[in-house]
């Protein structure tokens, strides 16, 4: 029996960011056993620092991607086109051209939102932009979100049965833990104020004055701008904090840091989707301190496998860090609960099951 064809649009790493990681995992997953996966790489930036900048080269690359989309769609005649959508006016307009190309060739389109800022963006948009978004979304057969509590973002655009929930999921193999007398705290994400890195530094400054237990912090990622970096290093150096900052690591090194860690902290200040770093930390059996952004609270259950704190509130982060640093049994119990939750809901198998169910529903629906 011929496999249904899925044309998947999405960026591939580098840089290593949530959407590019997701595309890579999906393409390598067992989903290819059920569908013929055709990929169109939509990446135009190779470094984080290039985001938000303009150049003729980017315009040319964008145009070439649209022509590739036309060619692939005509040649392969996919049953479904999966298109991630942006949450900015410029980004959405660029994505809408992919939707229009797919519809011109009579293809079914399912969208995917990998964040949670859609409603805030659209509410602050012009009337013309609101009309255009509704016009474009009506041309699609449904949308995928990363958590049940994100379905409300599209309640004004789709009936409930066309909003599909597919959380991130991956399979991981971790190396053996390098034992240490320190309690090891890990932050793993881009080093941005919006991701909470400054709040982590401030929380460590508070904790360092309150606990006698020896601990250290590894912060792994890339600095987005010099101002964030300067503020964080000023905090670190003024109090001689035990924080080691590492630029983004390869997968093997990253997994070693996860294996060595005792506590994971990621307290974003701004909307997220379902961060991969949270999934990885659960898989590694780490208690997690995070904030109520996007679908995080569907992975981090406050008081069970970690703690949910308020954004921009380093005092709360410090309070929970102190509690976990001083209580080894609490760390282990929460980590074990998180790992069990990961096995139940956030493996690659679970993600593939939900994507397969979604694609089959779309293929079987006539509009």
């Amino acid at each position: 029996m011929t496999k249904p064809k899925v044309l998947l649009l999405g960026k591939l790493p580098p840089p290593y960011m949530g959407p590019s990681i997701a595309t890579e995992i999906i393409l390598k997953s067992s989903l290819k056993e059920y569908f013929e996966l055709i990929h169109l790489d939509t990446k135009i930036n190779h470094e984080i620092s290039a985001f938000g900048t303009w150049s003729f080269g980017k315009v040319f690359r964008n145009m070439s991607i649209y022509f590739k989309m036309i060619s692939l769609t005509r040649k392969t005649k996919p049953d479904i086109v999966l298109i991630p959508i942006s949450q900015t006016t410029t980004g959405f307009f660029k994505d809408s051209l992919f939707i229009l190309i797919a519809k011109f060739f009579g293809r079914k389109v399912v969208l995917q939102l990998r964040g949670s800022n859609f409603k805030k963006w659209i509410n602050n948009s012009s009337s013309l932009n609101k009309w255009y978004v509704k016009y474009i979304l009506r041309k699609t057969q449904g949308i995928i979100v990363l958590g049940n509590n994100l379905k409300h973002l599209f309640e004004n655009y789709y009936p409930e049965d066309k909003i599909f929930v597919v959380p991130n999921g991956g399979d991981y193999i971790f190396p053996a833990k390098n034992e240490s007398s320190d309690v090891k705290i890990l932050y793993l994400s881009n080093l941005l104020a919006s991701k909470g890195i400054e709040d982590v530094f401030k929380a460590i400054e508070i904790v360092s004055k309150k606990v006698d237990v020896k601990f250290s912090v590894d912060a792994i990622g890339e600095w987005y701008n010099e101002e964030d970096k300067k503020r964080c290093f000023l905090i670190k150096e003024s109090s001689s904090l035990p924080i080691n900052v590492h630029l983004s690591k390869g997968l093997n090194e990253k997994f070693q840091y996860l294996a060595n860690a005792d506590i994971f902290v990621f307290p974003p200040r701004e909307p997220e989707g379902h961060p991969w770093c949270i999934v990885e930390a659960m898989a590694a059996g780490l208690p997690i301190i995070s904030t109520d952004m996007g679908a995080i609270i569907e992975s981090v259950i406050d008081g069970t496998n970690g703690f949910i704190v308020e954004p921009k509130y380093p005092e709360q982060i410090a309070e929970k860090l102190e509690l976990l640093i001083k209580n080894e049994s609490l760390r282990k119990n929460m980590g074990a609960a998180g790992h069990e939750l990961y096995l139940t809901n956030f493996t690659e198998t679970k993600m593939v099951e939900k994507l397969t169910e979604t694609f089959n529903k779309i293929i079987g629906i006539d509009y």
Side-chain angles (χ1 to χ4, degrees), residues 255-266:
F255 290 156
Q256 186 66 67
Y257 279 104
L258 282 159
N260 292 345
D262 299 293
I263 303 167
F264 187 80
V265 57
F266 175 65

Side-chain angles (χ1 to χ4, degrees), residues 13-176:
Y16 283 89
M17 302 181 71
S20 62
I21 293 171
T23 302
E24 185 174 55
I25 288 177
I26 290 171
L27 288 173
K28 292 180 178 179
S29 75
S30 59
L31 190 67
K32 59 181 176 286
E33 296 177 11
Y34 309 101
F35 300 93
E36 181 182 337
L37 301 181
I38 306 153
H39 177 235
L40 175 62
D41 191 354
T42 56
K43 176 173 64 180
I44 61 171
N45 297 300
H46 293 270
E47 297 179 353
I48 294 175
S49 58
F51 283 82
T53 61
W54 182 92
S55 71
F56 283 110
K58 284 189 178 183
V59 174
F60 177 79
R61 288 195 293 274
N62 267 317
M63 293 304 297
S64 69
I65 292 169
Y66 292 128
F67 282 115
K68 286 179 183 177
M69 168 78 171
I70 293 171
S71 177
L72 269 177
T73 307
R74 291 177 63 183
K75 181 180 178 181
T76 64
K77 296 180 174 59
D79 296 277
I80 296 176
V81 181
L82 177 62
I83 303 175
I85 58 168
S86 301
Q87 303 171 103
T88 66
T89 301
T90 301
F92 185 88
F93 177 77
K94 290 193 294 184
D95 295 336
S96 72
L97 298 183
F98 292 122
I99 298 169
L100 293 172
I101 290 169
K103 296 310 292 183
F104 178 80
F105 289 101
R107 303 298 99 190
K108 290 181 176 179
V109 176
V110 60
L111 305 180
Q112 186 166 36
L113 181 73
R114 304 210 67 88
S116 62
N117 198 44
F118 181 86
K119 184 167 281 191
K120 182 179 179 181
W121 160 62
I122 201 66
N123 286 343
N124 293 323
S125 295
S126 66
S127 297
L128 178 61
N129 193 55
K130 290 176 181 176
W131 172 86
Y132 185 71
V133 169
K134 184 169 287 190
Y135 168 77
I136 291 296
L137 296 188
R138 283 176 176 170
K139 293 183 175 296
T140 69
Q141 275 63 58
I143 189 157
I144 297 170
V145 294
L146 293 171
N148 284 294
N149 66 330
L150 300 181
K151 293 176 72 173
H152 73 95
L153 298 174
F154 295 96
E155 60 191 3
N156 296 328
Y157 300 94
Y158 297 100
E160 187 174 356
D161 63 349
K162 291 180 66 178
I163 305 174
F164 305 95
V165 178
V166 182
N168 286 331
D171 292 344
Y172 307 99
I173 298 175
F174 297 97

Side-chain angles (χ1 to χ4, degrees), residues 303-346:
T304 299
N305 65 317
F307 296 106
I308 296 296
V309 298
E310 296 177 56
K312 300 183 183 180
Y313 209 142
E315 293 82 5
Q316 284 190 6
I317 301 171
E319 176 189 335
K320 302 308 181 185
L321 279 173
E322 181 182 358
L323 183 62
L324 288 168
I325 289 171
K326 290 180 175 179
N327 194 329
E328 182 179 2
S329 63
L330 179 62
R331 295 198 302 268
K332 290 185 175 180
N333 289 338
M334 283 190 159
H339 185 70
E340 186 62 31
L341 187 60
Y342 157 77
L343 291 175
T344 304
N345 296 315
F346 304 114

Side-chain angles (χ1 to χ4, degrees), residues 194-266:
S194 62
K195 301 288 186 181
I197 185 61
E198 188 176 349
D199 298 323
V200 172
F201 275 63
K202 290 179 178 177
I204 296 302
E205 184 177 32
I206 297 169
V207 172
S208 67
K209 299 173 182 177
K210 300 180 71 175
V211 301
D212 297 325
V213 180
K214 189 177 180 183
F215 71 90
S216 61
V217 182
D218 288 299
I220 303 174
E222 295 286 344
W223 294 105
Y224 189 81
N225 62 61
E226 284 298 315
E227 289 304 312
D228 289 346
K229 183 177 179 180
K230 286 178 182 177
R231 287 196 302 271
C232 288
F233 272 93
L234 181 62
I235 297 167
K236 167 181 158 61
E237 292 166 3
S238 63
S239 299
S240 300
L241 300 178
I243 301 175
N244 303 300
V245 179
H246 316 272
L247 297 183
S248 293
K249 300 290 181 179
L251 289 180
N252 290 335
E253 291 175 290
K254 178 177 76 171
F255 290 156
Q256 186 66 67
Y257 279 104
L258 282 159
N260 292 345
D262 299 293
I263 303 167
F264 187 80
V265 57
F266 175 65

